[in-house]
Amino acid sequence: HTSQDKNPYLFSSFYHRVYRNVENYITKHESQLKSKYPASMTATMLCTGLLGVLNECYRSEHSIKNLLPYIRDMYKDLLMSNLFITA
């Protein structure tokens, strides 16, 4: 287990690997399925969770007010997915 603070090189390598996989998946399946969220937001959510997505928004030049609906929808979609709901 590591974090951005403990080992920035390892975390950066991990993040870029996840980002490339997310981007490749979106590119491969874009004819069948339109991506609802940007690849960078998806990779950040997978690597660092909600706080990471919020940090990324603060670091970017986008207003948090503009991105908050995307973040809220992303987590709502995740929590309402088949990962957490059983029939």
Side-chain angles (χ1 to χ4, degrees), residues 6-8 12 16 18 21 25-26 29 36 41 56 61 70-71 75 77 81 84:
K6 290 180 184 174
N7 192 336
S12 176
H16 289 291
V18 170
N21 285 335
Y25 184 87
I26 290 170
H29 297 287
K36 194 170 182 181
M41 190 179 272
E56 193 67 33
E61 295 183 12
Y70 287 111
I71 296 168
Y75 278 88
D77 288 348
S81 73
F84 298 106

Side-chain angles (χ1 to χ4, degrees), residues 11 23 54:
F11 181 82
E23 202 170 45
L54 291 172

Side-chain angles (χ1 to χ4, degrees), residues 6 15 44 47 59 68-69 73 82:
K6 290 180 184 174
Y15 177 83
T44 301
C47 292
R59 277 190 262 154
L68 201 55
D73 288 347
N82 289 336

Side-chain angles (χ1 to χ4, degrees), residues 36-82:
K36 194 170 182 181
Y37 308 104
S40 60
M41 190 179 272
T42 304
T44 301
M45 194 268 305
L46 290 171
C47 292
T48 59
L50 176 61
L51 293 178
V53 174
L54 291 172
N55 276 338
E56 193 67 33
C57 292
Y58 283 122
R59 277 190 262 154
S60 73
E61 295 183 12
H62 295 87
S63 164
I64 191 72
K65 286 184 179 184
N66 293 341
L67 293 174
L68 201 55
Y70 287 111
I71 296 168
R72 192 176 300 122
D73 288 347
M74 177 185 278
Y75 278 88
K76 181 180 169 191
D77 288 348
L78 177 65
L79 292 174
M80 298 303 290
S81 73
N82 289 336

